[in-house]
Amino acid sequence: MDLASRLYGCLLVFYFSPLVHGDEEPCGGHRDASDAGYITTPGYPQEYPPHQDCRWIITAPEPSQRIVLNFNPHFELERLDCRYDFIEIRDGNSDSADLLGKHCSNIAPPAIISSGPVLHIRFVSDYAHQGAGFSLRYEIHKTGSDCSRNFTSPSGVIESPGFPDKYPHNLECTFIIIVPPHMEVTLTFMTFDLENDPLQGSEGECKYDWLEVWDGLPQVGPLIGRHCGTKIPPEIQSSTGILSLTFHTDMAVAKDGFSASYNMTLKEVTDNFHCSNPFGMESGRITDDQITASSSFSDGLWSPQQARLNYDNNAWTPSEDSNKEYIQVDLHFLKVLAGIATQGAISKETHKSYYVTSFKLEVSTNGEDWMVYRHGKNHKTFHANTDPSEVVLNRIPQPVLARFVRIRPQTWKNGIALRFELYGCQITDAPCSEMQGMLSGLLPDSQITASSMRDIHGSMGAARLVASRSGWYPNPTQPVAGEEWLQVDLGVPKTVRGIITQGARGVDGSTSAENRAFVRKYRLAHSMNGKDWTYFLDPRTGHHKIFEGNTHFDTPEIRRFDEIVTQFIRVYPERWSPPGIGMRMEILGCDLPESTTTADIATPTLAQQEETTTAQRIPAPSSVSSLGGLCDFEQNMCGWTHDPTGDVNWALHSPSSPGLDLPLGADDYGSFLYLEAGLKTEHKRAKLLSPVVGPEQGPLCLLFRYQLSGEAQGRLQVLIRNDNQDETLLWTLKADHDHKWREGRTILPQSPKEYQVVIEGLFEHGSLGHIWIDNIHMSSSTELEQCIEPFPAFPPEMTGGVLPGMSDPTVDTTVSLQPMPTYWYYVIAGGGALVLLASVTLLMALCCHRYHLAAKKSQHSVSYHSTHYPGGTATAPPVEPMLTIRQEKHEPCSQC
């Protein structure tokens, strides 16, 4: 029995080890808020593990300081009234302190601020229903008004605390505008009055009270500008997904503060767009503060602000005519520069003509590191004007990414005089080219990884495009091509169409020559799970595609490719500059068509009390307005019809005219539509067509019950069809869910044109299986948030996009599974152990009996030779075990 006992013990360890595995990887700890940082669930944004109980204590260095928490919008914890999985924030250093909030579901909490210098955070997960988890940023919140806030509504007003009265002292406020995909936000200041800095040398040098605007999260994304005094900041338009403001006040002078409005608009993107829009020198959209110069003529009549194209009063002229002089424009955002139009001027005072005949172009992302534009290996000299009035347009042979643009005159007639306009577009103007969060900080540092990193104490945030002051450097001083890599996890599968790469400027942000590194060529790979990688291939050779990288450490380069669906992108440097590998990057793409399902057990349609003798069918109504109620198929089809383009039709089951032999206990299912697997339905589509959804109706919430069961690999899908008969996938599910009713939900978009909903069923095999649908309801009263559930769905196989002209509401792809009670794990484990123990006992009894029988009949003894390797080497092929029978004297049988 010793062997059996050991086997039983091993079996218990095998069964119960998953239950204690979570204890081997604890999370939590103490954090110092002196420097801002992040806290994430284990594995974020992948599913967090079960059986977690993590506790963090965040402490500010001074007793008078407070701590503010800001959550990433990608927040996903099991709902269920926060009883099983949740995050709990307490205003102190233990779980007995005052509760500031307990959160779950898929809606990120608002900013949370402590009343003292300590916060206690607890994260708990049970054994089932894991989600993506959370990521939060903590930092010091100075004593003052509770003014930090996140804005997600399409429009709103942001004001300083107490506005229009004077703002309080010692404030540190953060305002974050979170913009949905396909949208851009415009921020317009209406009033502005902050303490002025009398010694302010230039914009950005305010030292007392100031308002900072960030293209992304504060201290992560690029700083657009710092403002103080009474001059109203310029209008700001951003399409990177996040626009932030930070408001700082000291303990001295207080002013009236500021008021600004923001408005989100749908970004118009077309396949045939042209990157040739004027940036705003002539129109004034580029403000005077954005235009600077190396110098200007001393009489004040030839300032940089007069360099606007077609300006009617002189132009810009430097203090001396020299090719060292330049005029510069800050575009506030990284943009694609595609052309420059130039013009000279006739002096209003002397009526003499002045114009530039040639110039060079310099570009920068930060206003410090500059690159002279090259065409080929040489600096490009652009030929400009031949008279003072004519506008000459120079197209840039290879459009370049830049935020700061300098024009440096090389030759001129009579003297330098310049008026000009810049042309190009935003990076996001191209289809499916939204920045995925490297620049803005929407992607946390935990989703950026690398093969190695030279600065072991550094942050992976160094790899962010433009926003980082340094860059990613691998650890080896002499790296090998193909061995080092930089990787980005997008959090969820996305459609990816391009990548932007940039060099690096030194681990410490220095710009010495030995630190100005960049990658000249690289390979790209993508993956859905971070383990199995597929390389981009060159269609001409079939080999790994080699992408052209950078030629300068500061100037970014865009490389676009055919769209792919992926979650992970990895860059493998192949060739690099003499100082080595250095890189920053951003991913361009867009969200997949979104859908949602919930697999909670749902109650099917109950049979009504009155008897029905037939399933009456009526013609489809012309509008969805007649479908305001629930369609349970008890009386009729409620306007839904069989699509003539389908291969087969849905069948109707009703208690009075049953079409199915239902399982025991299913008599109360009532009426529903069904599709059974078989040879006649294999690879055949059954389509149910809704009444017409009229123009500008919605968004609506489509709710329905379904069963999807069997081994036939059934698929249930919801699509929308426009008047051109083009179909777009909204929701899909492929699984065996047993004989249980579940609920599906998805948002139907609003469209300027009418469309119809298609519910489609399909079997991939003709074996056993069924698809049932019931209780269809297009609801205009259900809140869209109720159409969104917090759990990740089965991966939908979607490639379609939103119909032209339709809004694309944000919907999480979700599924919810009914949890198994804890005691069942112990019942299953114990039962399995007993079965295995009985099997081992029976086997040993049979062996013993056979041994006795052989000894009595032949008086032979049996011995087994173990597998061995001829020649005594483990590399030789193994020989099968041999059975040898030896004639021996009879001996008494020993115990088995």
Side-chain angles (χ1 to χ4, degrees):
M1 294 302 292
D2 291 341
L3 176 60
S5 300
R6 289 195 205 98
L7 289 172
Y8 182 75
C10 293
L11 185 65
L12 291 177
V13 171
F14 174 79
Y15 268 94
F16 290 106
S17 60
L19 300 178
V20 299
H21 179 70
D23 294 335
E24 298 175 3
E25 298 179 357
C27 57
H30 288 77
R31 302 292 177 91
D32 184 0
S34 299
D35 296 319
Y38 290 89
I39 290 177
T40 64
T41 48
Y44 181 88
Q46 304 299 323
E47 288 189 353
Y48 52 80
H51 306 288
Q52 296 294 301
D53 192 345
C54 313
R55 298 165 190 262
W56 294 271
I57 295 178
I58 308 173
T59 306
E62 300 294 335
S64 61
Q65 292 178 321
R66 297 188 297 165
I67 302 167
V68 58
L69 305 180
N70 280 292
F71 285 81
N72 189 296
H74 186 39
F75 180 96
E76 191 178 41
L77 300 179
E78 181 184 2
R79 182 174 287 178
L80 299 179
D81 300 325
C82 301
R83 290 175 302 193
Y84 305 111
D85 296 3
F86 58 85
I87 177 175
E88 186 180 79
I89 299 98
R90 292 189 176 270
D91 197 13
N93 60 3
S94 69
D95 54 10
S96 62
D98 292 340
L99 182 65
L100 293 179
K102 186 176 183 180
H103 304 277
C104 57
S105 184
N106 65 335
I107 299 177
I112 295 176
I113 304 168
S114 67
S115 65
V118 183
L119 273 178
H120 180 278
I121 300 175
R122 183 187 181 196
F123 165 65
V124 172
S125 68
D126 64 353
Y127 57 87
H129 287 199
Q130 287 79 50
F134 67 85
S135 172
L136 65 85
R137 177 183 170 89
Y138 61 86
E139 57 189 333
I140 296 294
H141 180 89
K142 294 183 181 179
T143 304
S145 300
D146 296 340
C147 51
S148 293
R149 183 182 172 191
N150 292 351
F151 296 83
T152 57
S153 56
S155 61
V157 175
I158 303 174
E159 297 175 339
S160 55
F163 184 87
D165 296 330
K166 296 185 184 304
Y167 50 77
H169 299 305
N170 299 316
L171 292 181
E172 200 73 29
C173 310
T174 301
F175 309 97
I176 300 177
I177 306 172
I178 301 172
V179 187
H182 316 298
M183 305 283 283
E184 59 185 7
V185 62
T186 301
L187 180 69
T188 305
F189 286 87
M190 297 172 286
T191 60
F192 194 86
D193 184 11
L194 272 60
E195 181 184 2
N196 189 37
D197 182 356
L199 300 179
Q200 181 181 3
S202 63
E203 180 185 355
E205 295 184 5
C206 306
K207 293 189 290 291
Y208 305 115
D209 297 350
W210 65 73
L211 180 74
E212 291 177 328
V213 184
W214 302 83
D215 187 20
L217 291 176
Q219 310 298 330
V220 180
L223 176 65
I224 298 173
R226 176 185 282 193
H227 307 278
C228 59
T230 58
K231 189 170 186 177
I232 294 181
E235 182 178 272
I236 296 170
Q237 190 175 61
S238 172
S239 58
T240 52
I242 293 181
L243 186 67
S244 301
L245 292 81
T246 54
F247 181 42
H248 167 87
T249 67
D250 62 10
M251 59 184 297
V253 179
K255 295 288 187 177
D256 292 340
F258 66 90
S259 174
S261 64
Y262 73 89
N263 185 47
M264 300 180 193
T265 55
L266 184 65
K267 186 172 179 60
E268 298 292 338
V269 178
T270 59
D271 290 324
N272 58 349
F273 84 105
H274 297 286
C275 189
S276 57
N277 302 319
F279 284 158
M281 284 293 290
E282 183 176 10
S283 67
R285 191 163 64 248
I286 293 176
T287 65
D288 289 349
D289 290 338
Q290 294 174 250
I291 311 169
T292 56
S294 55
S295 67
S296 58
F297 198 61
S298 58
D299 62 2
L301 301 177
W302 301 81
S303 68
Q305 290 71 33
Q306 293 170 268
R308 301 179 182 277
L309 192 71
N310 293 318
Y311 191 74
D312 60 0
N313 186 11
N314 295 340
W316 165 70
T317 293
S319 59
E320 62 175 312
D321 294 327
S322 166
N323 58 14
K324 296 181 180 179
E325 303 287 343
Y326 62 83
I327 186 167
Q328 173 180 316
V329 176
D330 177 4
L331 299 174
H332 279 167
F333 297 92
L334 195 66
K335 295 188 178 183
V336 182
L337 180 65
I340 302 175
T342 58
Q343 191 180 29
I346 301 174
S347 171
K348 292 289 187 181
E349 292 75 32
T350 65
H351 305 288
K352 189 174 181 179
S353 298
Y354 304 90
Y355 52 90
V356 173
T357 56
S358 67
F359 64 89
K360 288 185 179 180
L361 174 66
E362 299 177 13
V363 292
S364 172
T365 64
N366 56 20
E368 299 175 9
D369 305 312
W370 294 89
M371 183 197 77
V372 181
Y373 182 83
R374 294 174 180 267
H375 186 51
K377 295 183 179 180
N378 300 319
H379 294 167
K380 169 72 174 174
T381 299
F382 293 87
H383 298 288
N385 301 86
T386 57
D387 64 61
S389 302
E390 182 183 4
V391 176
V392 175
L393 175 63
N394 272 281
R395 295 196 177 276
I396 298 176
Q398 183 66 41
V400 63
L401 282 175
R403 170 178 168 175
F404 296 87
V405 179
R406 276 182 184 175
I407 300 175
R408 195 181 291 271
Q410 297 299 300
T411 58
W412 48 86
K413 181 69 172 179
N414 295 329
I416 296 174
L418 185 63
R419 295 176 287 173
F420 66 98
E421 177 64 274
L422 304 175
Y423 297 89
C425 59
Q426 297 186 74
I427 298 169
T428 55
D429 285 346
C432 194
S433 295
E434 298 166 14
M435 295 189 186
Q436 294 302 304
M438 287 289 284
L439 180 144
S440 68
L442 185 61
L443 290 178
D445 290 355
S446 60
Q447 290 174 233
I448 311 169
T449 53
S451 54
S452 65
M453 193 167 180
R454 185 176 303 175
D455 182 7
I456 60 175
H457 301 294
S459 165
M460 285 309 303
R464 298 183 185 277
L465 180 77
V466 177
S468 168
R469 297 289 293 173
S470 55
W472 166 68
Y473 290 84
N475 187 43
T477 55
Q478 294 182 338
V480 178
E483 291 190 359
E484 301 298 327
W485 47 262
L486 178 61
Q487 175 181 308
V488 176
D489 174 7
L490 299 175
V492 294
K494 299 279 187 85
T495 299
V496 176
R497 292 194 61 177
I499 183 173
I500 305 176
T501 60
Q502 185 183 21
R505 66 196 306 263
V507 173
D508 58 354
S510 65
T511 56
S512 57
E514 63 271 17
N515 288 324
R516 296 174 177 176
F518 54 90
V519 173
R520 298 183 185 275
K521 296 180 183 293
Y522 58 87
R523 290 180 292 131
L524 277 180
H526 59 92
S527 170
M528 291 294 288
N529 56 17
K531 299 177 181 178
D532 304 313
W533 294 92
T534 302
Y535 285 90
F536 286 79
L537 300 180
D538 189 328
R540 297 171 298 178
T541 64
H543 298 147
H544 294 173
K545 181 176 177 61
I546 302 296
F547 289 84
E548 294 294 329
N550 299 88
T551 59
H552 187 268
F553 74 97
D554 179 71
T555 306
E557 299 282 353
I558 297 181
R559 297 293 176 258
R560 301 186 188 273
F561 39 78
D562 293 337
E563 66 180 37
I564 58 167
V565 176
T566 188
Q567 180 172 331
F568 297 84
I569 287 287
R570 184 179 283 185
V571 182
Y572 291 89
E574 287 291 318
R575 297 182 187 176
W576 44 84
S577 60
I581 295 174
M583 179 174 280
R584 292 170 281 179
M585 65 184 294
E586 175 64 277
I587 306 298
L588 301 179
C590 55
D591 290 346
L592 295 174
E594 296 167 317
S595 65
T596 180
T597 65
T598 59
D600 293 325
I601 296 176
T603 305
T605 305
L606 298 178
Q608 297 186 3
Q609 298 300 319
E610 64 271 22
E611 293 186 358
T612 56
T613 58
T614 181
Q616 300 178 359
R617 308 195 179 197
I618 61 174
S622 59
S623 171
V624 75
S625 60
S626 61
L627 201 65
L630 178 106
C631 183
D632 56 13
F633 304 108
E634 297 295 336
Q635 299 295 328
N636 51 54
M637 295 285 287
C638 313
W640 290 77
T641 60
H642 297 292
D643 185 5
T645 65
D647 304 312
V648 294
N649 288 338
W650 292 90
L652 177 68
H653 172 90
S654 65
S656 59
S657 301
L660 295 171
D661 294 325
L662 298 181
L664 186 64
D667 296 334
D668 59 349
Y669 279 10
S671 299
F672 57 88
L673 298 181
Y674 69 92
L675 186 66
E676 290 292 301
L679 295 178
K680 293 184 179 180
T681 57
E682 184 178 5
H683 299 300
K684 300 295 177 63
R685 298 178 185 272
K687 297 186 177 184
L688 189 67
L689 199 59
S690 78
V692 172
V693 179
E696 305 302 333
Q697 283 194 287
L700 304 173
C701 181
L702 177 67
L703 307 108
F704 55 99
R705 310 289 191 206
Y706 68 90
Q707 279 198 28
L708 191 59
S709 177
E711 58 190 27
Q713 294 190 22
R715 184 194 303 269
L716 183 61
Q717 302 186 144
V718 176
L719 310 96
I720 51 178
R721 178 188 297 172
N722 64 11
D723 52 4
N724 295 325
Q725 302 302 302
D726 297 323
E727 293 183 348
T728 300
L729 185 62
L730 292 183
W731 183 98
T732 185
L733 192 64
K734 176 183 175 182
D736 180 5
H737 286 206
D738 298 324
H739 295 275
K740 295 178 182 178
W741 284 100
R742 307 174 191 274
E743 183 178 53
R745 305 178 187 179
T746 188
I747 295 179
L748 302 178
Q750 184 183 50
S751 171
K753 298 181 181 180
E754 64 184 25
Y755 65 89
Q756 291 178 281
V757 179
V758 180
I759 298 181
E760 179 182 278
L762 170 70
F763 293 105
E764 294 188 5
H765 301 291
S767 51
L768 295 176
H770 71 249
I771 305 174
W772 298 352
I773 55 175
D774 196 6
N775 291 11
I776 304 176
H777 185 200
M778 289 190 203
S779 172
S780 58
S781 58
T782 302
E783 294 183 1
L784 296 186
E785 289 187 0
Q786 300 302 317
C787 260
I788 301 175
E789 297 296 328
F791 309 110
F794 297 104
E797 299 173 2
M798 306 183 199
T799 56
V802 177
L803 290 177
M806 291 189 175
S807 59
D808 186 11
T810 301
V811 189
D812 284 343
T813 309
T814 61
V815 69
S816 167
L817 300 176
Q818 192 71 7
M820 180 185 292
T822 305
Y823 64 83
W824 276 110
Y825 286 99
Y826 298 94
V827 173
I828 293 172
L834 292 175
V835 171
L836 183 59
L837 179 61
S839 301
V840 172
T841 304
L842 178 62
L843 180 62
M844 294 179 65
L846 290 174
C847 290
C848 185
H849 176 74
R850 188 169 181 174
Y851 185 94
H852 279 282
L853 183 63
K856 289 180 180 179
K857 286 188 175 183
S858 62
Q859 297 183 357
H860 294 167
S861 65
V862 182
S863 63
Y864 286 89
H865 296 278
S866 300
T867 301
H868 66 278
Y869 298 92
T873 170
T875 59
V879 179
E880 295 295 327
M882 296 186 298
L883 173 66
T884 303
I885 303 178
R886 299 194 304 272
Q887 184 77 30
E888 295 179 352
K889 293 182 180 180
H890 175 71
E891 295 178 0
C893 176
S894 61
Q895 293 183 353
C896 293

